[in-house]
Amino acid sequence: MRVTSLFRRLLGVSQMFVSSVQIEDRAVLLGVRPRWRRARCGACGRPGGVYDQAEERRWRHLGLGDVRVWLVYAPRRVACRRCGVRVERVPWAPHRSRFTWDFEEMVAYLAQGTDKTQVCRLMGIGWRTVGEIIERVVNRNLDPTRLSQLRWIGI
């Protein structure tokens, strides 16, 4: 099995190619790209024409022990008919986030059982970042109409 195939399986993202692996001071940098050929709008997800290439970005993924894992990719910018020019959607992370889906879910899960300070220490991120991740995960996973039929609250 190739090293790139091994990392793709370890990450658990099926719509992604791992093209390179670099090891730097206690960090693994994985060069990745989406499996789909046509770039998709980051806001609505529709395929669109490539406008240009953005600068290289890094997304933080769950670590392997105490080794940090970073996904590295230079996303394209998409000329979407509906949304205008947007950065393309990537299958490993939500739009406008520097963290992968799995990393954000782990932060939100840890925040359910402990305080923000402990989550910051464990995951190596800032206090404000924990709050932003929790807000994104809650908005993504909870139905906004869950309280629409509520009539009375007993206290």
Side-chain angles (χ1 to χ4, degrees):
M1 177 182 288
R2 294 184 348 210
V3 173
T4 54
S5 299
L6 173 70
F7 274 105
R8 196 183 92 232
R9 285 191 180 176
L10 282 174
L11 297 177
V13 181
S14 61
Q15 295 295 320
M16 174 181 73
F17 283 119
V18 177
S19 57
S20 66
V21 178
Q22 269 184 287
I23 298 175
E24 293 181 1
D25 300 325
R26 313 235 17 106
V28 176
L29 304 174
L30 301 174
V32 296
R33 66 179 173 84
R35 182 166 276 203
W36 50 69
R37 292 182 187 261
R38 290 194 63 198
R40 298 180 184 185
C41 174
C44 68
R46 293 181 178 189
V50 175
Y51 183 77
D52 65 2
Q53 188 93 16
E55 68 280 352
E56 187 174 88
R57 296 183 183 179
R58 291 183 179 189
W59 289 266
R60 173 101 181 267
H61 191 63
L62 293 174
L64 300 170
D66 63 344
V67 176
R68 290 189 176 179
V69 176
W70 296 90
L71 305 182
V72 181
Y73 176 62
R76 300 168 286 190
R77 293 197 316 156
V78 179
C80 180
R81 291 181 183 170
R82 175 192 275 177
C83 308
V85 177
R86 301 286 175 129
V87 175
E88 82 173 303
R89 174 175 287 184
V90 292
W92 55 84
H95 187 57
R96 293 187 173 171
S97 175
R98 295 294 183 154
F99 304 98
T100 63
W101 296 103
D102 292 340
F103 189 91
E104 287 195 352
E105 291 293 329
M106 178 61 80
V107 169
Y109 175 76
L110 291 172
Q112 288 178 346
T114 188
D115 58 287
K116 274 185 169 182
T117 304
Q118 293 303 319
V119 176
C120 292
R121 288 183 185 151
L122 184 64
M123 301 305 283
I125 54 178
W127 176 278
R128 185 172 288 158
T129 304
V130 172
E132 291 169 356
I133 288 174
I134 292 169
E135 187 176 335
R136 278 195 300 268
V137 171
V138 167
N139 287 338
R140 188 166 58 231
N141 293 333
L142 285 183
D143 181 18
T145 63
R146 68 188 180 284
L147 301 176
S148 63
Q149 300 297 320
L150 184 66
R151 291 184 164 275
W152 299 90
I153 295 179
I155 300 175

